[in-house]
Short mmCIF file of all heavy atoms in Angstrom, two decimals:
data_model
loop_
_atom_site.label_atom_id
_atom_site.label_comp_id
_atom_site.label_asym_id
_atom_site.label_seq_id
_atom_site.Cartn_x
_atom_site.Cartn_y
_atom_site.Cartn_z
N THR A 15 0.85 -1.22 0.02
CA THR A 15 -0.03 -0.01 0.01
C THR A 15 0.85 1.26 0.00
O THR A 15 0.61 2.19 -0.73
CB THR A 15 -0.95 0.02 1.21
OG1 THR A 15 -1.63 -1.21 1.30
CG2 THR A 15 -1.91 1.15 1.11
N SER A 16 1.90 1.28 0.87
CA SER A 16 2.78 2.45 0.91
C SER A 16 3.57 2.55 -0.39
O SER A 16 3.81 3.71 -0.88
CB SER A 16 3.72 2.35 2.11
OG SER A 16 4.55 1.21 1.97
N PHE A 17 3.96 1.49 -1.02
CA PHE A 17 4.67 1.53 -2.25
C PHE A 17 3.79 2.08 -3.38
O PHE A 17 4.28 2.89 -4.24
CB PHE A 17 5.17 0.12 -2.63
CG PHE A 17 6.11 0.04 -3.80
CD1 PHE A 17 6.97 1.14 -4.08
CD2 PHE A 17 6.15 -1.05 -4.64
CE1 PHE A 17 7.86 1.07 -5.15
CE2 PHE A 17 7.02 -1.10 -5.70
CZ PHE A 17 7.87 -0.04 -5.98
N LEU A 18 2.56 1.73 -3.38
CA LEU A 18 1.62 2.24 -4.37
C LEU A 18 1.44 3.74 -4.19
O LEU A 18 1.45 4.49 -5.19
CB LEU A 18 0.27 1.55 -4.25
CG LEU A 18 -0.82 1.99 -5.25
CD1 LEU A 18 -0.43 1.66 -6.66
CD2 LEU A 18 -2.19 1.32 -4.89
N THR A 19 1.30 4.20 -2.95
CA THR A 19 1.20 5.63 -2.67
C THR A 19 2.44 6.36 -3.10
O THR A 19 2.40 7.47 -3.66
CB THR A 19 0.88 5.87 -1.18
OG1 THR A 19 -0.18 5.05 -0.76
CG2 THR A 19 0.54 7.35 -0.94
N PHE A 20 3.61 5.75 -2.82
CA PHE A 20 4.88 6.34 -3.22
C PHE A 20 4.99 6.45 -4.74
O PHE A 20 5.42 7.48 -5.28
CB PHE A 20 6.04 5.45 -2.71
CG PHE A 20 7.38 5.83 -3.23
CD1 PHE A 20 8.08 6.89 -2.75
CD2 PHE A 20 7.95 5.10 -4.27
CE1 PHE A 20 9.32 7.25 -3.24
CE2 PHE A 20 9.22 5.39 -4.76
CZ PHE A 20 9.88 6.49 -4.25
N TYR A 21 4.48 5.43 -5.44
CA TYR A 21 4.49 5.47 -6.90
C TYR A 21 3.63 6.63 -7.44
O TYR A 21 4.09 7.38 -8.34
CB TYR A 21 4.01 4.17 -7.49
CG TYR A 21 3.79 4.20 -8.95
CD1 TYR A 21 4.87 4.08 -9.88
CD2 TYR A 21 2.47 4.35 -9.49
CE1 TYR A 21 4.63 4.14 -11.23
CE2 TYR A 21 2.27 4.42 -10.90
CZ TYR A 21 3.36 4.27 -11.75
OH TYR A 21 3.17 4.37 -13.10
N TYR A 22 2.42 6.77 -6.92
CA TYR A 22 1.55 7.83 -7.38
C TYR A 22 2.12 9.21 -7.02
O TYR A 22 1.97 10.18 -7.82
CB TYR A 22 0.15 7.68 -6.81
CG TYR A 22 -0.66 6.64 -7.51
CD1 TYR A 22 -1.25 5.60 -6.82
CD2 TYR A 22 -0.82 6.67 -8.89
CE1 TYR A 22 -1.99 4.63 -7.45
CE2 TYR A 22 -1.55 5.68 -9.54
CZ TYR A 22 -2.15 4.65 -8.84
OH TYR A 22 -2.86 3.70 -9.49
N SER A 23 2.82 9.35 -5.90
CA SER A 23 3.38 10.62 -5.51
C SER A 23 4.49 10.99 -6.51
O SER A 23 4.66 12.17 -6.84
CB SER A 23 3.93 10.59 -4.10
OG SER A 23 5.01 9.76 -3.98
N THR A 24 5.28 10.01 -6.95
CA THR A 24 6.36 10.31 -7.93
C THR A 24 5.82 10.69 -9.27
O THR A 24 6.42 11.48 -10.00
CB THR A 24 7.27 9.07 -8.11
OG1 THR A 24 6.49 7.95 -8.55
CG2 THR A 24 7.93 8.69 -6.81
N LYS A 25 4.59 10.16 -9.62
CA LYS A 25 4.01 10.50 -10.91
C LYS A 25 3.40 11.85 -10.89
O LYS A 25 3.32 12.56 -11.92
CB LYS A 25 2.98 9.47 -11.34
CG LYS A 25 3.49 8.01 -11.43
CD LYS A 25 4.55 7.88 -12.53
CE LYS A 25 3.96 7.99 -13.91
NZ LYS A 25 4.96 7.75 -14.97
N LEU A 26 2.93 12.30 -9.72
CA LEU A 26 2.21 13.57 -9.62
C LEU A 26 3.14 14.72 -9.26
O LEU A 26 2.95 15.85 -9.71
CB LEU A 26 1.14 13.48 -8.55
CG LEU A 26 -0.06 12.51 -8.84
CD1 LEU A 26 -0.92 12.35 -7.59
CD2 LEU A 26 -0.88 13.09 -9.97
N VAL A 27 4.19 14.46 -8.48
CA VAL A 27 5.02 15.55 -7.93
C VAL A 27 6.39 15.46 -8.52
O VAL A 27 7.07 14.40 -8.51
CB VAL A 27 5.10 15.41 -6.39
CG1 VAL A 27 5.94 16.60 -5.82
CG2 VAL A 27 3.71 15.37 -5.75
N ASN A 28 6.90 16.58 -8.98
CA ASN A 28 8.26 16.68 -9.46
C ASN A 28 9.13 17.40 -8.41
O ASN A 28 8.77 18.54 -7.95
CB ASN A 28 8.30 17.56 -10.80
CG ASN A 28 7.61 16.86 -11.90
OD1 ASN A 28 7.69 15.64 -12.04
ND2 ASN A 28 6.87 17.60 -12.73
N THR A 29 10.18 16.78 -7.99
CA THR A 29 11.06 17.32 -6.99
C THR A 29 12.33 17.84 -7.61
O THR A 29 12.86 17.24 -8.51
CB THR A 29 11.44 16.27 -5.93
OG1 THR A 29 12.06 15.16 -6.62
CG2 THR A 29 10.21 15.73 -5.22
N PRO A 30 12.84 19.00 -7.12
CA PRO A 30 14.05 19.57 -7.69
C PRO A 30 15.30 18.87 -7.23
O PRO A 30 16.41 19.07 -7.77
CB PRO A 30 14.06 21.00 -7.16
CG PRO A 30 13.24 20.95 -5.91
CD PRO A 30 12.22 19.87 -6.09
N ASN A 31 15.20 17.97 -6.24
CA ASN A 31 16.38 17.31 -5.67
C ASN A 31 16.83 16.20 -6.68
O ASN A 31 16.11 15.23 -6.87
CB ASN A 31 16.09 16.71 -4.30
CG ASN A 31 17.34 16.15 -3.59
OD1 ASN A 31 18.23 15.63 -4.22
ND2 ASN A 31 17.36 16.41 -2.29
N HIS A 32 17.99 16.40 -7.26
CA HIS A 32 18.46 15.46 -8.31
C HIS A 32 18.74 14.07 -7.73
O HIS A 32 18.40 13.04 -8.34
CB HIS A 32 19.72 16.00 -8.96
CG HIS A 32 20.20 15.11 -10.09
ND1 HIS A 32 19.46 14.88 -11.26
CD2 HIS A 32 21.37 14.43 -10.22
CE1 HIS A 32 20.18 14.07 -12.05
NE2 HIS A 32 21.33 13.77 -11.44
N CYS A 33 19.36 14.02 -6.53
CA CYS A 33 19.73 12.73 -5.93
C CYS A 33 18.46 12.00 -5.60
O CYS A 33 18.33 10.74 -5.84
CB CYS A 33 20.55 12.97 -4.69
SG CYS A 33 21.01 11.45 -3.78
N TYR A 34 17.43 12.67 -5.01
CA TYR A 34 16.15 11.98 -4.68
C TYR A 34 15.47 11.50 -5.92
O TYR A 34 14.86 10.40 -5.94
CB TYR A 34 15.29 12.98 -3.90
CG TYR A 34 13.97 12.41 -3.43
CD1 TYR A 34 13.95 11.45 -2.40
CD2 TYR A 34 12.80 12.81 -4.01
CE1 TYR A 34 12.75 10.89 -2.02
CE2 TYR A 34 11.58 12.28 -3.63
CZ TYR A 34 11.56 11.36 -2.58
OH TYR A 34 10.38 10.79 -2.15
N THR A 35 15.56 12.30 -6.97
CA THR A 35 14.92 11.90 -8.26
C THR A 35 15.58 10.63 -8.81
O THR A 35 14.89 9.72 -9.32
CB THR A 35 15.04 13.00 -9.30
OG1 THR A 35 14.46 14.23 -8.72
CG2 THR A 35 14.30 12.68 -10.58
N GLN A 36 16.87 10.50 -8.68
CA GLN A 36 17.57 9.29 -9.19
C GLN A 36 17.15 8.08 -8.37
O GLN A 36 17.00 6.96 -8.92
CB GLN A 36 19.09 9.51 -9.11
CG GLN A 36 19.66 10.43 -10.19
CD GLN A 36 21.17 10.50 -10.15
OE1 GLN A 36 21.79 10.42 -9.08
NE2 GLN A 36 21.74 10.62 -11.31
N ILE A 37 17.04 8.26 -7.05
CA ILE A 37 16.61 7.10 -6.20
C ILE A 37 15.19 6.69 -6.62
O ILE A 37 14.88 5.48 -6.73
CB ILE A 37 16.64 7.54 -4.71
CG1 ILE A 37 18.10 7.79 -4.31
CG2 ILE A 37 16.05 6.45 -3.84
CD1 ILE A 37 18.22 8.35 -2.91
N GLN A 38 14.28 7.65 -6.83
CA GLN A 38 12.95 7.36 -7.26
C GLN A 38 12.93 6.57 -8.60
O GLN A 38 12.23 5.56 -8.72
CB GLN A 38 12.12 8.61 -7.43
CG GLN A 38 11.72 9.26 -6.12
CD GLN A 38 10.94 10.54 -6.35
OE1 GLN A 38 11.15 11.23 -7.37
NE2 GLN A 38 10.06 10.86 -5.45
N ALA A 39 13.75 7.05 -9.56
CA ALA A 39 13.82 6.40 -10.88
C ALA A 39 14.31 4.98 -10.74
O ALA A 39 13.81 4.05 -11.41
CB ALA A 39 14.70 7.20 -11.80
N ALA A 40 15.32 4.78 -9.87
CA ALA A 40 15.87 3.44 -9.72
C ALA A 40 14.86 2.47 -9.10
O ALA A 40 14.78 1.32 -9.53
CB ALA A 40 17.15 3.49 -8.83
N ILE A 41 14.11 2.93 -8.16
CA ILE A 41 13.08 2.11 -7.53
C ILE A 41 11.96 1.78 -8.52
O ILE A 41 11.54 0.63 -8.66
CB ILE A 41 12.49 2.80 -6.27
CG1 ILE A 41 13.58 2.90 -5.19
CG2 ILE A 41 11.30 2.02 -5.73
CD1 ILE A 41 13.14 3.74 -3.96
N LEU A 42 11.49 2.80 -9.19
CA LEU A 42 10.36 2.60 -10.14
C LEU A 42 10.75 1.74 -11.37
O LEU A 42 9.94 1.15 -11.99
CB LEU A 42 9.80 3.92 -10.56
CG LEU A 42 9.24 4.79 -9.44
CD1 LEU A 42 8.74 6.15 -9.97
CD2 LEU A 42 8.08 4.06 -8.76
N LYS A 43 12.08 1.76 -11.67
CA LYS A 43 12.53 0.96 -12.77
C LYS A 43 12.46 -0.53 -12.49
O LYS A 43 12.38 -1.37 -13.37
CB LYS A 43 13.95 1.34 -13.11
CG LYS A 43 14.51 0.74 -14.41
CD LYS A 43 15.91 1.24 -14.73
CE LYS A 43 16.45 0.61 -15.99
NZ LYS A 43 17.85 1.05 -16.26
N HIS A 44 12.49 -0.89 -11.21
CA HIS A 44 12.46 -2.28 -10.80
C HIS A 44 11.25 -2.55 -9.94
O HIS A 44 11.37 -3.14 -8.84
CB HIS A 44 13.78 -2.65 -10.05
CG HIS A 44 14.99 -2.40 -10.83
ND1 HIS A 44 15.71 -1.18 -10.80
CD2 HIS A 44 15.72 -3.22 -11.69
CE1 HIS A 44 16.76 -1.26 -11.58
NE2 HIS A 44 16.74 -2.46 -12.13
#
């Protein structure tokens, strides 16, 4: 459930933090 909410938050919200964005991309890629 938390992973699903995390996925939707990444699709809706763009963060300026480059490091955090890379971590999100790595998680969502797998």
Side-chain angles (χ1 to χ4, degrees):
T15 308
S16 62
F17 188 31
L18 180 64
T19 310
F20 171 78
Y21 170 79
Y22 282 126
S23 70
T24 59
K25 301 298 288 184
L26 293 169
V27 182
N28 293 322
T29 57
N31 191 321
H32 182 65
C33 180
Y34 182 70
T35 304
Q36 285 186 327
I37 295 174
Q38 287 179 328
I41 294 174
L42 297 178
K43 187 178 179 181
H44 302 90

